[in-house]
Amino acid sequence: MADLYQVLGVSKNATAAEIKKAYHKIARTCHPDVAKNDPKAADKFKEASCAYDILGDEKKRRQYDAGEIDDQGKPRAPFGAGFGGAGGNPYGSYGAGPGGSQYFYTNMGGGSGGFEGFDFADLFGGGAGGFENLFRGARSGSQGRARNYGEPGRDVSYSLSIPFELSMTGGETSVRLSSGKQVKVKIPAGITDGANLRLRGQGEPGQGVGAQPGDAIIRINVASHPIFKREGNDALMTLPITLKEAVLGAKVTIPTLTGKVALTIPPNTSSDKILRLKGKGVTGKGDLLVKIQVLLPDHPDEALEEFVKNWKPRSQNPRPFF
């Protein structure tokens, strides 16, 4: 049984940020897209993904540290559990048969033990017909409730970086799985950094007839943007304007998440004033907030200086609270 902390190369006291950093380090060198001809790297990536799926989740990590789940995220049965009785081993139990002989029976029919509709006297007192009655009882007890005892496939974790714009507007992208298969991923508008998306049935295959495959868990990393920042469902940007544009007003072209638009700057607009563009934030939910920043010339402007010297502004106290 693997030690998930050793798989990621971190201590048991590692912080969530250290665990995430360790996983990303392995993913950068061992992902199948990077190490295409190295099967050992692919195996290491799978192990790291499974470890991160558990240790990167606060609840699963607590369960793992407490011994409640194993290195594959499966519940651990308490010692001694599972030998007959309600809530015990679903596969069966041992007991004393006639004359002290030992027998094994199967709980395939559910209930508190044994087959529903099956009398053990049929097995030991009915001669050769006992085994026929055994399987007849199994069919009776499980009628209408198909069971499979195969091992379900493990979930596999992946990391997917998406542009800031896609996180706000939503859309579709793709991810390459460790199997080499490339699948489409629908990104909902407003998804946040660190969110998980689940692709049903895209994990490791199950073992045994009828066993279900695991899922692919896609952890989203939203890239930063040089212009926009997110505030809830709104996008925020800073717009530099000249002193002339601030005083007289202007119409300027600005970028948005979905393309360029013309923005009207009202006359006498001060720095830090917020102009709001409806519907230009998270699709269907948010706006674009444009924060004004009035810039003076980088170099001395004699005409501007002369104007200001001779300018007699109306009485105004810009610092009423000082």
Side-chain angles (χ1 to χ4, degrees):
M1 183 175 292
D3 184 322
L4 300 186
Y5 291 98
Q6 291 183 3
V7 171
L8 293 179
V10 297
S11 71
K12 292 188 176 181
N13 297 322
T15 64
E18 290 171 338
I19 290 174
K20 183 176 182 179
K21 183 178 180 181
Y23 168 67
H24 285 175
K25 182 178 180 181
I26 296 174
R28 281 195 297 270
T29 57
C30 298
H31 192 280
D33 285 346
V34 178
K36 297 181 179 179
N37 300 319
D38 188 350
K40 291 184 178 180
D43 291 340
K44 186 175 181 180
F45 174 72
K46 288 182 181 179
E47 292 177 354
S49 296
C50 181
Y52 185 56
D53 180 50
I54 294 174
L55 299 184
D57 184 295
E58 185 177 345
K59 180 179 178 181
K60 290 182 181 178
R61 183 180 180 183
R62 287 198 303 267
Q63 292 175 323
Y64 175 74
D65 290 343
E68 296 173 3
I69 60 175
D70 61 17
D71 60 339
Q72 297 182 21
K74 301 185 184 304
R76 284 176 171 163
F79 180 78
F83 289 92
N89 180 10
Y91 300 99
S93 180
Y94 287 90
S101 62
Q102 297 295 312
Y103 62 87
F104 177 84
Y105 68 93
T106 305
N107 270 343
M108 292 179 68
S112 60
F115 290 116
E116 294 179 1
F118 175 73
D119 186 345
F120 278 97
D122 292 339
L123 175 59
F124 296 103
F131 286 99
E132 180 181 349
N133 290 331
L134 171 65
F135 290 107
R136 185 182 299 118
R139 288 193 296 271
S140 172
S142 59
Q143 184 178 6
R145 293 183 295 167
R147 304 230 180 172
N148 79 69
Y149 294 102
E151 184 75 14
R154 293 194 307 173
D155 294 344
V156 182
S157 296
Y158 299 89
S159 181
L160 176 63
S161 295
I162 63 172
F164 179 87
E165 295 92 335
L166 183 59
S167 74
M168 299 290 283
T169 62
E172 192 173 78
T173 185
S174 62
V175 62
R176 186 177 296 278
L177 305 181
S178 57
S179 63
K181 180 181 179 181
Q182 189 158 336
V183 297
K184 292 181 179 180
V185 181
K186 290 184 178 180
I187 306 296
I191 195 169
T192 57
D193 184 66
N196 288 330
L197 298 177
R198 182 180 293 270
L199 303 182
R200 297 288 182 186
Q202 297 294 341
E204 292 189 357
Q207 303 295 322
V209 177
Q212 297 296 315
D215 301 332
I217 310 299
I218 312 298
R219 177 155 294 191
I220 299 297
N221 295 321
V222 179
S224 59
H225 196 280
I227 297 176
F228 303 108
K229 293 182 179 180
R230 183 170 178 177
E231 289 192 355
N233 288 326
D234 296 330
L236 173 67
M237 66 170 288
T238 298
L239 177 65
I241 64 173
T242 66
L243 180 61
K244 183 177 181 178
E245 290 171 330
V247 173
L248 302 179
K251 182 170 286 189
V252 298
T253 300
I254 66 168
T256 71
L257 297 170
T258 55
K260 295 182 178 181
V261 299
L263 175 68
T264 299
I265 309 294
N268 297 321
T269 297
S270 301
S271 284
D272 294 335
K273 183 178 179 62
I274 301 291
L275 302 179
R276 183 181 295 268
L277 275 68
K278 292 288 186 180
K280 294 296 183 180
V282 171
T283 299
K285 297 179 180 178
D287 305 327
L288 174 60
L289 308 180
V290 182
K291 185 177 182 180
I292 299 298
Q293 182 182 39
V294 180
L295 297 182
L296 293 175
D298 292 334
H299 304 287
D301 187 316
E302 294 181 1
L304 178 59
E305 290 177 0
E306 188 65 23
F307 167 76
V308 172
K309 286 179 182 178
N310 298 314
W311 180 41
K312 296 180 179 179
R314 296 177 181 177
S315 177
Q316 179 182 7
N317 181 7
R319 296 171 289 277
F321 301 108
F322 288 7

